[in-house]
Amino acid sequence: MAERAVDGYWAEAKVRSPDAGGEWYLAGAWLDTASAAVAWLHGEAERLAAVLESVESEQGGQSGYSSPVSAVFREWAADDAFRAVQCAALADGQPVSANARGSDRICGAADVEVLYSLSARPVLRPH
């Protein structure tokens, strides 16, 4: 098998809902380094947390999940030790992610379960 070199890192934010039968792409970025990709993910985690906090406060904390999605992403973004672990894993060629689940109201329908995913992976090219 031919050796492959890292050509950069692709990072993205998605939300999926098996209940609603859909997947929505929120944002993505091509980055030059593993640390830049993880930093982008942390920025997206903070952005999502801020948006979701306003929605979660309107729901009055009655989601039925052990932790609100915003709290999961804020805790993940604040964990500097785990950030270093994820940077090292990504630089070593492993994909990394942060995931959380909660409920949302889709197009005025009933509440559905949604899965939020922030992920990054190396993009490889042949030597």
Side-chain angles (χ1 to χ4, degrees):
M1 183 172 175
E3 270 194 53
R4 298 172 67 101
V6 173
D7 196 29
Y9 298 86
W10 176 250
E12 64 186 11
K14 284 186 177 182
V15 63
R16 297 173 182 84
S17 177
D19 292 343
E23 176 177 284
W24 298 271
Y25 175 80
L26 303 177
W30 180 276
L31 300 133
D32 292 330
T33 66
S35 61
V38 173
W40 184 89
L41 292 177
H42 281 240
E44 287 301 298
E46 291 290 344
R47 186 180 71 78
L48 272 173
V51 170
L52 292 172
E53 281 170 342
S54 65
V55 173
E56 292 162 354
S57 68
E58 289 174 11
Q59 294 173 343
Q62 304 297 324
S63 71
Y65 294 90
S66 60
S67 295
V69 172
S70 61
V72 171
F73 282 140
R74 286 218 188 270
E75 181 179 314
W76 176 76
D79 189 340
D80 290 335
F82 192 55
R83 181 180 187 146
V85 168
Q86 288 197 307
C87 279
L90 189 59
D92 194 38
Q94 302 301 310
V96 299
S97 66
N99 304 284
R101 67 185 180 116
S103 65
D104 202 349
R105 187 166 293 261
I106 307 292
C107 298
D111 286 346
V112 295
E113 183 172 70
V114 290
L115 310 168
Y116 294 89
S117 180
L118 301 171
S119 63
R121 63 181 172 79
V123 176
L124 303 175
R125 63 175 166 76
H127 259 306

